[in-house]
Amino acid sequence: MNTAGHSEATARRGLELSPFRGLRYDPDRVGSLASVTSPPYDVVVRPDGVHHLQSADPYNIVRLILPQAGTPSARTEQAADTLRRWLDEGVLTADPEPGLYVYEQRDGSGLLQRGIIGALRVSEPAEGVVLPHEDVMPPVVADRAALMRATRANLEPLLLTYRGDGTAAEVVERTAGTPPLLATTTEDGFRHRLWSVTDPADVTRIQSDLARQQALIADGHHRWATYLRLRAEHPSPSPWDHGLVLLVDTARYPLRVRAIHRLLHGLPVADALAAVQGLFRVRRLDTPLAEALEALADASCAGNAFLLAGDGAFHLLDRPDPDLLTRTIPADRPAAWRSLDATVLHATLLDHVWHIPEDSPAHIAYIHDTAATVAKAERDGGTAVLMHPVREEVVRDLARQGVTMPRKSTSFGPKPASGLVLRALEI
């Protein structure tokens, strides 16, 4: 653990964002731009979700980010072959000149998010320029690394946040007032627009502003760890020194922070409840999901709380035994880390009470959608553990201290749609 911390004032280098020739779908070769997009690879976790996207269009980006061949090596070869074929056929084409890209997302509720897509210099956490806040699972990093090696491409941007409200933001706002390269509305109701920034003066303005900034990884820890691994494998300078990112200035556009829930396979709710008797206060809630989540939010204001589901009801766990927490939670971390719900879930409940290995897909799944988590638990006889989201300022403060949270602790959004712009390392 790095306890030295990373302050914005002492970061030696800031963000170094470079233009690139984006790969984009030729709209004349696909059914629609919306039909070839996908959520990020780690959101599309269910086979039926992959099938739905594949059925939307034969050129859907999911065929690259989540190939479905039998073995890991066959999957990466399939993705590489598919990408080469789409390039040869002109389904994907490179923009004529390098640029940065302004990207906008808007939904029907009034949410508006704008940011800049570019090739960011890959930096170690110790440099204090790009701050991770979650641990990663090595098998996932290995999988993403194999895919990027095979395709020699960054297929989808990570989501990073910074707080600037300076010259870069001014260029973003001005650019958003011009006709976009593309505009589409995806089935989730989000409208997406993309612009290129190729004017050298504007590119320089953005770069100069970002050079003073520090970013937090909001979504994409495994892909950032993959960028680090691949950079280490290739002597510098090389295209692997940079990775595709979306940078959002949260001083202008605050992100939503949501929880990521857990689905415990093979652990019936009755067994989960029996194991926590005497260790947590347990209350059964025979209410709709929305009301149960309100109760969880109220309980979370006073301390650690979780909502279990899967047996047709909801069970609120709160007021953990202080002695239990003392015995199970590492004492060498900051108080803010020790008190996180995700810390208590992983260190106390999963490791000590339920004996569930957190890195085994056979035992646990991480799901963003609340209703889907409950439905799958009820269908499969497992236990859904519903979480309350942590505040962004807590995440950022811990990251600046060099402290990572348990994996899959947060879900920042909205996440960029995959498939609107890609980066090929050799174009």
Side-chain angles (χ1 to χ4, degrees):
M1 178 187 66
N2 177 11
T3 57
H6 310 300
S7 72
E8 293 186 37
T10 60
R12 291 188 297 275
R13 301 173 71 176
L15 301 168
E16 299 176 31
L17 195 67
S18 297
F20 69 103
R21 290 180 64 197
L23 284 185
R24 295 189 294 113
Y25 281 98
D26 181 343
D28 294 330
R29 298 296 306 273
V30 298
S32 71
L33 290 175
S35 68
V36 295
T37 65
S38 164
Y41 82 97
D42 56 343
V43 178
V44 189
V45 294
R46 303 189 312 274
D48 57 330
V50 173
H51 177 72
H52 171 72
L53 291 166
Q54 288 179 332
S55 301
D57 192 284
Y59 299 115
N60 190 281
I61 191 68
V62 77
R63 296 178 186 273
L64 298 182
I65 63 175
L66 284 175
Q68 295 296 295
T71 65
S73 61
R75 288 194 288 272
T76 57
E77 291 174 8
Q78 181 185 69
D81 290 344
T82 299
L83 179 57
R84 281 193 294 268
R85 186 174 71 254
W86 291 358
L87 289 169
D88 291 343
E89 295 175 354
V91 174
L92 286 169
T93 60
D95 283 332
E97 58 182 321
L100 301 174
Y101 295 84
V102 170
Y103 175 49
E104 175 188 281
Q105 293 163 278
R106 187 191 299 265
D107 72 1
S109 71
L111 182 144
L112 174 64
Q113 178 174 291
R114 291 180 180 140
I116 305 168
I117 295 176
L120 184 69
R121 182 183 72 88
V122 177
S123 59
E124 297 286 347
E127 294 184 49
V129 177
V130 175
L131 306 180
H133 70 268
E134 289 184 356
D135 295 329
V136 298
M137 294 176 272
V140 178
V141 176
D143 174 76
R144 291 295 101 184
L147 183 65
M148 289 190 204
R149 283 191 206 100
T151 59
R152 298 190 64 78
N154 301 150
L155 301 173
E156 46 186 349
L158 286 67
L159 175 60
L160 306 184
T161 73
Y162 72 102
R163 297 188 64 81
D165 203 13
T167 308
E170 294 172 3
V171 175
V172 167
E173 297 307 306
R174 176 161 42 81
T175 302
T178 65
L181 288 176
L182 64 86
T184 189
T185 301
T186 46
E187 65 179 6
D188 59 4
F190 271 90
R191 185 185 183 204
H192 308 262
R193 296 199 294 171
L194 188 76
W195 298 259
S196 64
V197 179
T198 57
D199 178 74
D202 279 343
V203 170
T204 298
R205 291 184 185 99
I206 291 172
Q207 291 174 323
S208 298
D209 190 8
L210 293 178
R212 299 189 295 270
Q213 304 298 336
Q214 178 187 56
L216 174 74
I217 301 176
D219 184 69
H221 284 81
H222 288 93
R223 283 167 285 166
W224 186 257
T226 300
Y227 290 169
L228 287 168
R229 174 180 292 192
L230 294 173
R231 185 193 65 170
E233 293 176 0
H234 298 83
S236 183
S238 84
W240 301 99
D241 292 341
H242 294 77
L244 186 64
V245 304
L246 166 65
L247 280 162
V248 173
D249 183 351
T250 54
R252 291 274 182 117
Y253 300 105
L255 271 66
R256 291 173 175 168
V257 186
R258 293 176 174 169
I260 301 176
H261 309 298
R262 276 65 169 162
L263 175 62
L264 309 182
H265 306 298
L267 179 67
V269 174
D271 293 349
L273 293 173
V276 298
Q277 289 299 324
L279 303 177
F280 283 74
R281 183 175 70 168
V282 180
R283 287 177 285 166
R284 179 185 174 101
L285 305 177
D286 292 300
T287 62
L289 174 59
E291 293 181 20
L293 291 174
E294 289 179 5
L296 173 63
D298 291 341
S300 295
C301 293
N304 301 116
F306 310 92
L307 200 61
L308 304 191
D311 63 349
F314 297 100
H315 307 270
L316 183 62
L317 275 59
D318 65 354
R319 298 187 184 178
D321 176 17
D323 291 337
L324 172 69
L325 301 184
T326 300
R327 294 197 311 272
T328 58
I329 295 178
D332 61 344
R333 301 289 185 96
W337 181 90
R338 296 198 304 271
S339 63
L340 289 170
D341 287 339
T343 298
V344 174
L345 173 61
H346 284 257
T348 303
L349 285 170
L350 293 180
D351 291 351
H352 182 79
V353 177
W354 293 328
H355 307 291
I356 301 290
E358 62 178 328
D359 57 354
S360 171
H363 293 89
I364 186 169
Y366 299 84
I367 304 178
H368 296 73
D369 186 273
T370 308
T373 310
V374 174
K376 188 163 179 58
E378 293 180 345
R379 184 168 61 249
D380 298 346
T383 295
V385 183
L386 306 182
M387 310 280 287
H388 185 67
V390 65
R391 300 190 312 279
E392 180 181 356
E393 57 266 30
V394 173
V395 177
R396 193 177 294 275
D397 287 346
L398 285 172
R400 285 177 180 153
Q401 296 177 58
V403 178
T404 54
M405 298 166 64
R407 61 195 60 169
K408 300 294 184 182
S409 294
T410 58
S411 175
F412 285 85
K415 305 177 191 305
S418 299
L420 294 180
V421 62
L422 293 66
R423 173 179 176 249
L425 272 70
E426 296 170 342
I427 294 179

